[in-house]
Amino acid sequence: MAGHSKWANIKRQKARVDAKRANIFTKVSREIIVAARNGVPDPAGNFQLRTAIEKAKAAGIPNENIDRAIAKGSGKLGSDAALESIQYEGYGAGGVAVLIEALTDNRNRTAADLREAFSKNGGNLGETGCVGWMFEQKGIVELSFAPQKTGRGRKIEEVAINEEALLEACLEGGADSYELIETEDGQAAEIFTEVENLESLSHTLKEQGYTVAQVELRWIPQNTIEVTDPDHARALLKLMDALDSLDDVQNATANFDIAEELMMAAIE
């Protein structure tokens, strides 16, 4: 898909993935709390909550932690400071646009942490609306085509992707487009759709027998800036890493495009 999130794909190629971060528990727990607070605390009737729980289980979060987060969101464990969803915007090195989604109980703390991350990495936190118009929110369903162990010798074989069948399933589910990608676990596909169609598309693909690895909303840049300066590339990757490491930041995306060779050199 033209204009896809370059940072989303870069994160897959880096050695450190979100599931290995200490703050993944905090981030996903907050998603569960907010989902349970905004709808019914039953995943069967709350798609947002069901998606957050699936993400938590994929990250290895224990069931008791998940249950506690649901109880917090539904008010059964008393009233914590309310988590507020806020969108922040700014610029990275070379004028790259950066969009941040945060869940916070303290706006001042979050803004200060973001401002520090930007200033230390060649960027600056901007005003609301300065870059948001450059992005479009889409629903994303990620399908996994991981290698399988088959036969008596348990030989590992790559799963062949039938693109014709995949395209038919995407059309039936109302998808806009799809993109094949490589992950640490093998091949995968990202299916793009309108936000309001995300649940229906996920259900359709599961019914077709596909393995749904993740379902999420993502801001997609409508155009990208090609980064060729090694110093800018290094500063941008450090900035995105710094933003991802903040507990209050749920998602961060940017509209840069870095050649793979330059990217790999920058993260070494």
Side-chain angles (χ1 to χ4, degrees):
M1 176 179 181
H4 65 78
S5 172
K6 184 68 174 181
W7 176 242
N9 285 340
I10 287 175
K11 284 198 291 187
R12 290 190 178 87
Q13 298 178 52
K14 296 179 61 166
R16 293 181 300 170
V17 294
D18 283 349
K20 295 179 181 177
R21 296 181 186 276
N23 67 354
I24 188 64
F25 277 36
T26 300
K27 290 177 183 286
V28 180
S29 293
R30 287 184 175 186
E31 286 188 39
I32 293 173
I33 291 170
V34 171
R37 183 175 295 160
N38 292 341
V40 295
D42 180 5
N46 186 332
F47 177 65
Q48 182 185 0
L49 177 58
R50 188 162 66 250
T51 299
I53 291 173
E54 289 175 357
K55 186 184 296 185
K57 290 182 176 179
I61 297 179
N63 288 333
E64 54 265 30
N65 293 54
I66 295 173
D67 292 340
R68 190 178 305 115
I70 295 173
K72 279 187 177 181
S74 61
K76 293 180 180 179
L77 290 183
S79 57
D80 289 340
L83 288 170
E84 185 179 7
S85 178
I86 310 177
Q87 183 172 291
Y88 294 91
E89 303 170 36
Y91 297 94
V96 164
V98 182
L99 190 67
I100 301 146
E101 293 176 288
L103 285 176
T104 180
D105 56 7
N106 187 321
R107 280 184 174 225
N108 292 334
R109 179 196 65 226
T110 303
D113 288 345
L114 290 173
R115 195 170 288 110
E116 181 180 13
F118 273 98
S119 63
K120 284 186 175 180
N121 296 284
N124 61 280
L125 188 62
E127 299 294 328
T128 301
C130 66
V131 302
W133 58 274
M134 301 181 188
F135 297 82
E136 179 183 14
Q137 193 175 42
K138 287 287 188 180
I140 312 290
V141 179
E142 182 181 321
L143 304 181
S144 173
F145 298 91
Q148 302 290 324
K149 290 184 177 180
T150 59
R152 293 182 179 179
R154 308 299 289 169
K155 180 183 178 181
I156 297 178
E157 295 185 358
E158 291 287 337
V159 176
I161 299 178
N162 185 333
E163 286 201 57
E164 184 176 344
L166 177 60
L167 178 58
E168 289 181 2
C170 289
L171 292 174
E172 182 178 337
D176 294 338
S177 60
Y178 73 89
E179 180 179 348
L180 300 182
I181 58 176
E182 295 289 336
T183 71
E184 292 183 346
D185 299 322
Q187 288 187 302
E190 286 188 337
I191 317 300
F192 299 80
T193 190
E194 297 301 317
V195 171
E196 59 273 13
N197 187 53
L198 183 57
E199 181 175 7
S200 175
L201 174 62
S202 175
H203 180 71
T204 298
L205 291 171
K206 287 179 180 178
E207 281 193 329
Q208 294 281 345
Y210 290 99
T211 300
V212 174
Q214 182 169 293
V215 178
E216 65 175 342
L217 297 177
R218 188 188 303 165
W219 289 96
I220 308 296
Q222 298 187 58
N223 53 67
T224 57
I225 294 176
E226 184 179 1
V227 177
T228 57
D229 185 301
D231 291 334
H232 284 178
R234 192 172 297 107
L236 286 167
L237 294 178
K238 286 184 177 179
L239 170 61
M240 301 305 289
D241 236 3
L243 294 175
D244 277 344
S245 70
L246 297 176
D247 286 346
D248 292 343
V249 173
Q250 294 298 110
N251 294 291
T253 190
N255 71 339
F256 60 79
D257 191 355
I258 302 176
E260 186 173 353
E261 298 79 8
L262 181 59
M263 179 192 70
M264 297 308 295
I267 63 177
E268 286 179 351

